[in-house]
Amino acid sequence: MTPRERKKAIRAERLALRDAMGAEARANASAAMLAQGGEAIAFPPGQVVAGFWPIRSEADIRPLMARLGARGARLCLPVVLDRETIVFREFAEGAPVVSTGFGTTGPGPEAAVLDPDLLLVPLSAFDAAGNRIGYGAGHYDRAIDRLRGMGRRPRLIGIAFDCQEVASVPAEPHDVALDAVLTESGLRVFKRA
């Protein structure tokens, strides 16, 4: 089995486990992420933090984003422009949001485009080394690559439930590892060589 095939199988397995969580369990785990990460995620005031509006069975990190905003973060959300590109538009608490493609929600075209310093990254699976499996479209990989091409090195914090952890992710050369992951059990920072 190729790494790509293994990733596809792991993605399907872990997303099925996430989908199987009941609504109450998912809400409780999302609330625990606020409790675990609301103060633990470090950043200087004014830093641009990209979150996301939940789709399907993802964790609802909107309360976490509100807390980070109250601590001084400048918030933005990803917007899918086409099958290849996402940008990050500024988001203020209470601002209107619109459908932004591929089932996502975010600020409309009137919002400023920002380059994030820290990305809260949704994912399908992760391992103890900080390797992640996304949803398969490569949007975040390309966005991170674009930011790095501009000389930026955004910190990457994966957002997942505990059930999405696997023993090992078949990492490929183009994959970018996470700096940390936030689950309902807490914020885990990965050591880099």
Side-chain angles (χ1 to χ4, degrees):
M1 189 180 284
T2 68
R4 183 179 202 149
E5 291 168 334
R6 287 181 28 227
K7 282 183 180 179
K8 184 176 180 180
I10 292 169
R11 179 182 300 114
E13 171 190 282
R14 292 299 142 167
L15 289 179
L17 288 173
R18 188 181 81 184
D19 290 345
M21 292 176 70
E24 184 177 348
R26 207 169 18 260
N28 289 340
S30 295
M33 287 181 191
L34 168 61
Q36 297 285 352
E39 302 302 322
I41 296 173
F43 58 89
Q47 192 167 73
V48 178
V49 176
F52 57 89
W53 210 266
I55 61 171
R56 300 186 294 262
S57 59
E58 289 177 341
D60 185 353
I61 63 164
R62 290 175 292 183
L64 173 63
M65 289 171 34
R67 179 65 195 127
L68 299 180
R71 289 181 44 216
R74 191 171 176 194
L75 300 174
C76 59
L77 295 171
V79 174
V80 179
L81 296 181
D82 55 46
R83 292 195 74 74
E84 297 294 316
T85 310
I86 61 172
V87 297
F88 299 91
R89 289 186 185 150
E90 187 164 23
F91 173 71
E93 189 68 27
V97 293
V98 298
S99 175
T100 54
F102 297 92
T104 63
T105 301
E110 69 285 351
V113 173
L114 303 177
D115 294 321
D117 302 297
L118 189 158
L119 277 82
L120 303 177
V121 183
L123 52 86
S124 298
F126 70 96
D127 66 18
N131 297 306
R132 68 177 266 278
I133 297 175
Y135 294 145
H139 286 117
Y140 274 89
D141 293 325
R142 284 188 297 280
I144 293 163
D145 190 49
R146 179 182 61 80
L147 290 166
R148 287 184 169 184
M150 297 176 356
R152 302 180 68 86
R153 298 298 243 187
R155 284 186 356 201
L156 308 175
I157 300 178
I159 302 294
F161 296 116
D162 288 334
C163 67
Q164 294 174 257
E165 185 170 5
V166 297
S168 178
V169 166
E172 298 177 88
H174 68 272
D175 290 333
V176 180
L178 300 167
D179 296 298
V181 68
L182 176 64
T183 71
E184 65 268 33
S185 296
L187 181 67
R188 189 177 345 167
V189 178
F190 301 112
K191 304 281 188 239
R192 297 283 167 241

